[in-house]
Amino acid sequence: MEPLIYRNAIEPIVAQEVERQLEKLSQKVVYYINPAQVIAYALNRLPTLYATSEEGWKKQQEKANTELAKEISLAVKWGLNVVLQDPFKSSTPLRLHDQTSDKYERRNSSDRRYNFREHL
């Protein structure tokens, strides 16, 4: 059985917009900005656009780039402002690890138990 693959198509577009807006700022200001915090702030204010296929990915990316371009730009701008209000805020970055749990299971169409951890 193939792994379950799904991605939020808006994430890379938001990351690109953060990079674009950071390029407009002075290096002194950029030094104090954690781009991951800005990206997370913006993503939490935007709709999710998940895809499970290449066709779906292209469709969702197109939607983000056309219908949501202004919202994305504004959400990133707000994120930059929030992060700049407290640039010295201390936080512990997330570690990259399997964030799923055994309790997250679903049944597929043949009614066999599926454990997400096995397929991610």
Side-chain angles (χ1 to χ4, degrees), residues 8 10-20 22 33-46 72 75-83:
N8 185 354
I10 203 168
E11 288 182 15
I13 295 169
V14 169
Q16 290 169 355
E17 180 62 20
V18 169
E19 288 178 25
R20 191 184 71 74
L22 286 174
I33 295 174
N34 179 344
Q37 290 176 335
V38 179
I39 292 168
Y41 183 95
L43 286 171
N44 282 329
R45 281 143 187 87
L46 294 165
I72 291 168
V76 168
K77 183 177 180 179
W78 292 340
L80 285 168
N81 286 331
V82 167
V83 171

Side-chain angles (χ1 to χ4, degrees), residues 1 5 10-11 17-18 22 29-30 38 40 55 58-59 61-62 71 73 80 87 95 101-102 105 107 110 115 120:
M1 174 119 343
I5 298 174
I10 203 168
E11 288 182 15
E17 180 62 20
V18 169
L22 286 174
V29 172
V30 171
V38 179
E55 297 81 9
K58 289 176 185 172
K59 181 179 175 184
Q61 290 253 299
E62 184 177 315
E71 285 182 66
S73 180
L80 285 168
R95 294 181 324 206
S101 170
D102 290 331
E105 295 181 4
R107 293 182 186 265
S110 64
N115 184 313
L120 293 176

Side-chain angles (χ1 to χ4, degrees), residues 42-70:
L43 286 171
N44 282 329
R45 281 143 187 87
L46 294 165
T48 56
L49 298 174
Y50 280 96
T52 60
S53 67
E54 291 297 325
E55 297 81 9
W57 178 261
K58 289 176 185 172
K59 181 179 175 184
Q60 295 292 50
Q61 290 253 299
E62 184 177 315
K63 180 177 181 175
N65 282 318
T66 56
E67 297 175 30
L68 298 173
K70 289 180 183 179

Side-chain angles (χ1 to χ4, degrees), residues 103-117:
K103 69 180 180 178
Y104 296 111
E105 295 181 4
R106 73 174 181 114
R107 293 182 186 265
N108 68 11
S109 59
S110 64
D111 203 35
R112 292 184 312 192
R113 287 299 253 174
Y114 232 58
N115 184 313
F116 278 101
R117 185 175 296 221

